[in-house]
Amino acid sequence: MSPDLFLKNAQVVTENEVFHGSVSVQGEKIAGIVHGDQDVEASQVIDLQGKVLLPGVVDGHVHFNEPGREHWEGYRTGTMAAAAGGVTSVLEMPLNSTPPTTNRAMLELKRQTVAGQAVIDYGNWGGLVDNNLADLEALNADGVIGYKAFASASGVDFERLNDDLIYAGLSKMREMGNLIGLHAENEWVCAYLSQQLKAGGRTDRAAWYESRPPFAELETVQRASYWAKVTGGNLHVVHVSIADGIRSIAKARQAGVHVTAETCPHYLFFDHQDFERIGPAAKCAPPIRSRQDVEALWECVLGGLVDTIGSDHSPCTWDEKVKGMENIWKAWGGISGVQLTLPVLLSEGVNKRDLALPALARMLSYNPARLFGLYPQKGAIQVGADADLVVVDLDKEWTLTAEQLFYKNKFSAYVGSTFKGQVQRTLVRGKTVYQDGQIVAQPGYGKLLRRSYPYAY
Ligand SMILES: [Zn+2]
C-alpha cells in the first residue's frame, strides 16, 4: 500500500543528525524515512525544495487561562498561535485559569471545558499548592505530565510553597514517578527588595528587575536541587533565566540528581534595554536580564546544558498591561510567546550563533517529549511516531506585526522584531494544521495527551 503523504526533498532534522531526504506518512504516523533522492509513490507528494523539516515543537510550558479567564487566551486561540509557531503539542499549566488545576475535579472541569477547542495536541500540568498533597495521586492517575509549584508568590489563585512542601512534594514525585516544575525565585529577598524600592518611590521599569536579581533565582535553584537530591524526587526547574542557574542544575544532574532545566525564548532575546523600551508587555518573572546574562545563557544553550526550551506563554488583556505603563509594579507579568519560540531559536540561534539543528530538535521536541512521558509518540522524526512535523524556511527574513498573531489579545513583546527563519507549514498527526499564515484545521482536531510512563529522563 502506498503512503498517504510523501514529503520529499527536505533537510530532515532528527535529534542526532541532519540529512537530505524525505519522510512518508501513513494515516497519523510516520511510515518511512528516506535518505537521499529516492522517490516513493504516495497519494499526495509535497516537494519541500530543500527546506528544513523538523519534528514538531513540544512546548512544555503554556498558560491558556481556560476555564475562567478565556478573555486572556483560551485553548482555541492559544493552540492556533502554537500551530503558527511550529508547535504540535502544548503542555498547559494549572494556573492563571480559574479554578486552578489542583485536584481531580478541577482537572476534569478543565478537560470538559476545553474539549473541542484545540487544533493541536495538548496535555495538562497539575498543581502542587499548600493544601493538596492528598490530591496528587488522583491527578497522576489521570495523566498529568507534571506538577507546577511556586517557591515565590505566583500572582493569583495559586499558593506558594515553603520547604516543607517542596520536600514532601518531591518525595511524592519519587514514589509516583512524576515531576515538579518549579518556579525558582527566593520569595523573601524579592519581597524585601520590592518593598525597599517601592518605599523609595521607584515605579520605573528598571525597578522590576532590580527587585528580582539573579542571586535570588540562583539561591532557590540550588535549594530545590538540594531537596531533589535528598528525596530522590524529580525536579524540573522552569524558566531558568541565568547561566549560573543552568550550570548549577547541569552539575547536579551529572552527580545523579534528577533535576532538569527549562529556559525560555525571551531570556535569549530581550535584555534590560529592550525591557525598558518595551515596558509592560515584556514584564515577566524571573525578569528580563542584562545583555551579559543573555549571552551567558546562550553559551549554556550552545554548550548543551539546557534540557528544554518552553515559551512560558503567559497572556492577559492589554488592560492588564497598560495600567503598568507609568508604574511597572501595576502591570500583569507574562510574555505572550508561544507563536515565537521557534522563530527566536531559528533566528538568534541557528542563523546568528550556529546552533546545530539536531541540538535545537533535542531542546524543543525530543527532550520535552521524554521528560513528560510522551516519547516516542511525540518528539522525534522516526518510523511509528506521530507525524508531527514543521517545515521551516531558514533564510526567510520577516518582521512580526500584531496582525500576524493568533492570540486572543493581539499584542506581544516581540511585535516589531525581525527574524531570519520562518515557519511555513505545521503538520499534526499527518494533517496540515497551519500553512503560510493560515490555520487550516478545525478546533477539536487536537487530542488530549497523558503521561504514558513514569519519569525516565
Ligand atoms: Zn509559566
Side-chain angles (χ1 to χ4, degrees):
M1 192 170 65
S2 66
D4 297 323
L5 175 63
F6 188 58
L7 297 158
K8 70 175 215 175
N9 189 16
Q11 287 185 66
V12 181
V13 181
T14 72
E15 68 275 15
N16 297 315
E17 58 173 342
V18 187
F19 58 90
H20 173 74
S22 309
V23 171
S24 63
V25 176
Q26 179 69 50
E28 299 192 336
K29 303 287 183 185
I30 294 174
I33 296 170
V34 172
H35 289 248
D37 285 318
Q38 186 204 328
D39 260 329
V40 168
E41 254 183 66
S43 310
Q44 188 190 6
V45 176
I46 300 173
D47 186 343
L48 297 180
Q49 299 175 319
K51 296 211 174 78
V52 170
L53 187 66
L54 285 157
V57 175
V58 178
D59 189 338
H61 193 159
V62 302
H63 301 261
F64 285 166
N65 316 102
E66 192 164 5
R69 274 193 200 93
E70 291 87 347
H71 55 301
W72 286 18
E73 189 64 270
Y75 268 60
R76 185 178 296 222
T77 51
T79 57
M80 285 166 64
V87 179
T88 52
S89 302
V90 283
L91 303 175
E92 206 256 339
M93 284 292 176
L95 74 157
N96 300 349
S97 51
T98 173
T101 316
T102 51
N103 63 39
R104 173 171 259 170
M106 291 174 187
L107 177 62
E108 189 49 36
L109 173 66
K110 180 187 278 278
R111 285 177 173 170
Q112 282 174 9
T113 309
V114 308
Q117 298 296 317
V119 300
I120 65 166
D121 293 348
Y122 60 96
N124 306 113
W125 284 83
L128 171 61
V129 288
D130 61 344
N131 59 1
N132 74 330
L133 275 180
D135 294 303
L136 302 184
E137 292 269 9
L139 288 166
N140 192 51
D142 286 350
V144 299
I145 52 76
Y147 298 81
K148 180 70 179 293
F150 277 76
S152 58
S154 76
V156 283
D157 306 328
F158 206 81
E159 296 306 322
R160 179 180 64 77
L161 300 187
N162 286 325
D163 283 12
D164 51 354
L165 284 173
I166 294 178
Y167 171 82
L170 283 167
S171 303
K172 194 78 193 157
M173 293 306 131
R174 181 198 161 119
E175 204 182 300
M176 296 190 306
N178 214 317
L179 61 82
I180 287 177
L182 187 73
H183 179 124
E185 285 183 293
N186 185 291
E187 166 68 10
W188 301 278
V189 171
C190 293
Y192 171 77
L193 292 173
S194 304
Q195 219 172 36
Q196 295 293 106
L197 288 158
K198 286 175 182 170
R202 294 280 302 277
T203 56
D204 59 295
R205 292 164 182 182
W208 176 248
Y209 60 72
E210 286 176 32
S211 74
R212 311 182 84 88
F215 59 78
E217 182 178 349
L218 183 59
E219 183 278 337
T220 308
V221 166
Q222 291 175 339
R223 175 160 46 95
S225 299
Y226 173 76
W227 291 125
K229 179 181 175 184
V230 166
T231 58
N234 313 307
L235 174 67
H236 182 52
V237 186
V238 296
H239 52 52
V240 178
S241 72
I242 48 170
D244 283 347
I246 300 284
R247 290 192 202 104
S248 164
I249 290 163
K251 199 171 159 196
R253 186 173 58 253
Q254 279 153 19
V257 182
H258 293 178
V259 58
T260 47
E262 172 198 69
T263 192
C264 307
H266 40 275
Y267 300 121
L268 295 165
F269 194 79
F270 300 115
D271 61 22
H272 283 168
Q273 241 183 326
D274 298 317
F275 174 60
E276 286 167 39
R277 173 175 49 83
I278 298 165
K283 179 183 174 182
C284 58
I288 296 301
R289 302 297 190 188
S290 71
R291 180 45 52 179
Q292 198 184 342
D293 287 329
V294 173
E295 295 307 327
L297 190 58
W298 268 113
E299 277 178 38
C300 292
V301 169
L302 296 170
L305 300 182
V306 170
D307 295 285
T308 71
I309 300 177
S311 66
D312 194 5
H313 178 71
S314 186
C316 62
T317 59
W318 181 236
D319 276 356
E320 295 291 335
K321 289 294 193 186
V322 92
K323 57 190 175 191
M325 278 298 181
E326 305 305 324
N327 180 345
I328 196 63
W329 305 108
K330 291 186 176 167
W332 177 260
I335 291 182
S336 299
V338 71
Q339 200 172 325
L340 284 313
T341 303
L342 184 51
V344 167
L345 270 293
L346 293 173
S347 189
E348 296 293 308
V350 177
N351 276 316
K352 201 179 275 183
R353 293 178 177 84
D354 284 327
L355 173 63
L357 285 164
L360 179 68
R362 287 196 293 274
M363 290 182 285
L364 290 181
S365 306
Y366 179 70
N367 288 347
R370 288 189 304 133
L371 187 62
F372 299 113
L374 305 172
Y375 177 85
Q377 182 194 349
K378 301 295 187 189
I381 295 183
Q382 61 182 44
V383 173
D386 282 359
D388 292 352
L389 302 161
V390 193
V391 180
V392 156
D393 183 341
L394 254 190
D395 299 318
K396 175 82 176 172
E397 293 189 50
W398 59 288
T399 300
L400 180 71
T401 64
E403 296 72 46
Q404 290 168 317
L405 297 170
F406 285 91
Y407 306 150
K408 182 156 287 171
N409 295 285
K410 297 189 191 311
F411 68 88
S412 169
Y414 293 103
V415 168
S417 297
T418 295
F419 301 91
K420 185 175 181 186
Q422 189 176 51
V423 174
Q424 301 213 313
R425 184 181 193 124
T426 306
L427 297 95
V428 175
R429 286 177 279 107
K431 180 179 158 52
T432 296
V433 296
Y434 168 84
Q435 190 177 359
D436 300 329
Q438 305 293 326
I439 296 295
V440 294
Q442 291 304 312
Y445 177 69
K447 282 187 183 167
L448 175 65
L449 301 170
R450 296 162 194 271
R451 174 180 278 281
S452 59
Y453 49 86
Y455 183 95
Y457 187 74

